[in-house]
Amino acid sequence: RLQHTDVTYNGNAELRALAKTYFGVRAGRRDVNYSNDSVYDGQSVRERLNRTETSVDFTTRYQMTTLTSLLFQGGRQEDRFELDPLRDANSTRYSIGVSFDPFALIKGSARIGYRRFEPLTAIVPAYEGSTAQVDLSYVALGSTKISVQMVRDVQYSYQITQPYYLQTGGLFSVTQRIAGPMDAGARLTLQQLAYRNREDLAAFLPQRVDHVRMYGGSVGYHVGPELRVAFNVD
């Protein structure tokens, strides 16, 4: 595990325009900084991944019920790399999603969208397509918690020849209350990482797709209504 520091700033403001409709704006900045000795597989991760991400999004939120909101969002993101400007890129993003209050029967949020990822150099290929981010949970019969997480989006790679990949996958977990404060759980994670080759090297490199499979389990103890201590194996 390589030492690095991520610093993120976020801010948002909303204006109530109608009885259940809100218009807003969100802005954010993220600084990713790896240490000077961050080397993996003979490559300097610091040179490849040190970057600043800035984003601005405009939102429209409709309060469907007291516990459910519908959100439309569109905006722009700029990624600037400190030591490798060939990776600089701009993104245009649109999404529609639904979010549930923590007191709702289903908790969490789900969002599907579209992203146009445009590197500033022709050497790095562009991406234009769907995105998704889902994090939902449901408690059945007061003792069985079912959780689903899904993601589909562009992620940066430390590889020189394959600067980014499209990550698609998700996690499914079930946690069952056994007796009193004790519970046990199992989870499965499946992911596909579809790498994109640099255009100047595409003729010499095969298409690369990595697959991630993770299995895990846990035993937990509920100290109180808001605190759970668990032992996990993955």
Side-chain angles (χ1 to χ4, degrees):
R1 181 164 297 187
L2 302 177
Q3 182 180 1
H4 68 283
T5 303
D6 289 7
V7 180
T8 303
Y9 307 91
N10 287 302
N12 68 83
E14 269 192 337
L15 175 65
R16 184 173 181 176
L18 301 171
K20 296 184 177 182
T21 305
Y22 300 79
F23 296 103
V25 60
R26 295 177 178 177
R29 176 187 172 101
R30 179 190 179 204
D31 294 320
V32 180
N33 292 289
Y34 282 80
S35 62
N36 292 332
D37 59 350
S38 295
V39 177
Y40 182 77
D41 198 21
Q43 298 190 42
S44 171
V45 177
R46 178 175 182 269
E47 292 183 7
R48 303 289 170 259
L49 296 182
N50 273 23
R51 66 189 183 274
T52 297
E53 302 173 358
T54 56
S55 61
V56 176
D57 293 283
F58 296 95
T59 64
T60 300
R61 182 170 63 90
Y62 179 72
Q63 193 73 36
M64 299 175 62
T65 69
T66 56
L67 301 178
T68 308
S69 297
L70 188 64
L71 181 68
F72 301 88
Q73 182 171 308
R76 183 177 178 83
Q77 177 176 319
E78 296 182 353
D79 302 336
R80 297 296 182 264
F81 287 77
E82 176 186 351
L83 302 171
D84 193 357
L86 287 178
R87 292 169 172 257
D88 291 352
N90 297 330
S91 295
T92 304
R93 307 171 302 183
Y94 306 97
S95 66
I96 179 173
V98 61
S99 62
F100 302 96
D101 189 89
F103 293 100
L105 189 62
I106 298 177
K107 301 174 179 61
S109 63
R111 185 175 66 196
I112 58 173
Y114 164 88
R115 181 173 182 175
R116 180 184 295 170
F117 176 76
E118 299 176 300
L120 301 189
T121 174
I123 293 177
V124 180
Y127 169 75
E128 188 172 348
S130 61
T131 60
Q133 186 172 352
V134 177
D135 187 357
L136 298 173
S137 64
Y138 170 73
V139 178
L141 304 177
S143 61
T144 305
K145 182 179 180 180
I146 301 172
S147 300
V148 176
Q149 297 177 4
M150 294 183 63
V151 64
R152 178 180 172 86
D153 208 346
V154 170
Q155 303 290 348
Y156 287 109
S157 162
Y158 74 93
Q159 300 278 355
I160 298 176
T161 56
Q162 296 159 325
Y164 74 92
Y165 55 87
L166 180 64
Q167 178 184 5
T168 305
L171 176 149
F172 176 79
S173 68
V174 177
T175 304
Q176 176 65 48
R177 187 71 68 95
I178 300 175
M182 298 291 297
D183 65 23
R187 54 187 167 271
L188 169 66
T189 300
L190 300 174
Q191 291 185 349
Q192 176 181 281
L193 315 179
Y195 286 79
R196 298 295 193 265
N197 296 329
R198 278 175 42 166
E199 296 288 359
D200 57 337
L201 301 173
F204 307 99
L205 297 173
Q207 295 295 324
R208 174 184 172 187
V209 179
D210 289 352
H211 297 274
V212 179
R213 300 178 182 89
M214 186 186 306
Y215 311 88
S218 67
V219 176
Y221 181 86
H222 291 260
V223 180
E226 302 295 333
L227 178 61
R228 175 179 181 263
V229 180
F231 174 75
N232 302 284
V233 176
D234 290 290

